Amino acid sequence: MVVRASLLALVLSASAARADDWQACHAGDQDACLAGSRAAQAAGDDALLLKFIRKGCDLGNVISCSDLGMSYLVGLGQAADPDRAIPLLRDGCDKGYGRACGNLGWAYYTGTGLDRDPAQAARHYRLGCDGGSGPACRNLGLMYQAGDGVPQDGARATRLFDRACDLGVDSLC
C-alpha cells in the first residue's frame, strides 16, 4: 500500500510539474517549455510534447524548433510533413545546434524528406558530432566503419564511437 501511495504521489507530482511548466511556458519562459517537453517525452505524452515544442518554437527557442522539425520529419503525433521539417532542422544546424545537424544528416542518409545523399549525411553528422550530438558521432562512425559515403576507416570509426560514448550513447561504452 505504501508503494502504491508513493507511485500515486510521484505521478501527481509530475503532472503538477508539467502544469506549472505549461503556465510558465505559455507566459514566455523558454526554459519551462524545454523542461515541459522533456517531461512530456519521458511520460510518453506526444500530444503534450508537441504543445510544449510548438510554443517553445513560437518563442524562438532553437532546441524547440529543431525538435518540432524532427517531429514533422517522422510524423510524431501528427502527419509527417518534410516540407515543414527540413527548414526547421536547417535553421537549427545553421545556428550551431548539433542535434539538428545530426537529424538533418539522418534525413540525408535515409532519404527522408530529402534525396538520399551519403556525402551530405556525413557532412551533417560531422557538424552534429562537433556540436555535441552523440548519435551524430555514432552514425558517422558507422559510415566510416562500413565505408558508406566516406572512405572506410576503422580507426576513425573507433574514435567517433569513443566520442559518442563520451557524449552519452551508452550502447557504445
Side-chain angles (χ1 to χ4, degrees), residues 34-151:
L34 287 174
S37 69
R38 298 301 176 245
Q41 183 176 27
D45 189 338
D46 292 346
L48 186 58
L49 170 63
L50 286 171
K51 190 174 169 180
F52 275 110
I53 62 177
R54 281 190 182 116
K55 182 62 179 177
C57 188
D58 289 346
L59 294 171
N61 184 278
V62 68
I63 296 171
S64 294
C65 290
S66 297
D67 288 351
L68 183 59
M70 197 60 187
S71 74
Y72 282 133
L73 193 63
V74 300
L76 176 72
Q78 61 198 347
D81 190 348
D83 292 337
R84 292 178 79 180
I86 299 303
L88 290 167
L89 294 174
R90 280 191 205 283
D91 185 57
C93 186
D94 290 347
K95 290 177 178 171
Y97 182 48
R99 196 165 76 195
C101 298
N103 287 339
L104 196 53
W106 179 84
Y108 275 114
Y109 188 79
T110 62
T112 304
L114 296 165
D115 291 335
R116 188 177 190 291
D117 186 338
Q120 282 296 322
R123 176 178 173 271
H124 285 89
Y125 283 150
R126 166 58 60 203
L127 290 168
C129 184
D130 290 347
S133 171
C137 297
R138 175 200 56 219
N139 292 343
L140 184 59
L142 290 169
M143 290 181 77
Y144 276 104
Q145 186 176 53
D148 185 8
V150 295

Side-chain angles (χ1 to χ4, degrees), residues 11-37:
V11 168
L12 292 175
S13 162
S15 295
R18 285 194 301 269
D20 289 345
D21 285 336
W22 177 246
Q23 287 179 330
C25 175
H26 190 69
D29 182 344
Q30 292 183 22
D31 290 336
C33 296
L34 287 174
S37 69

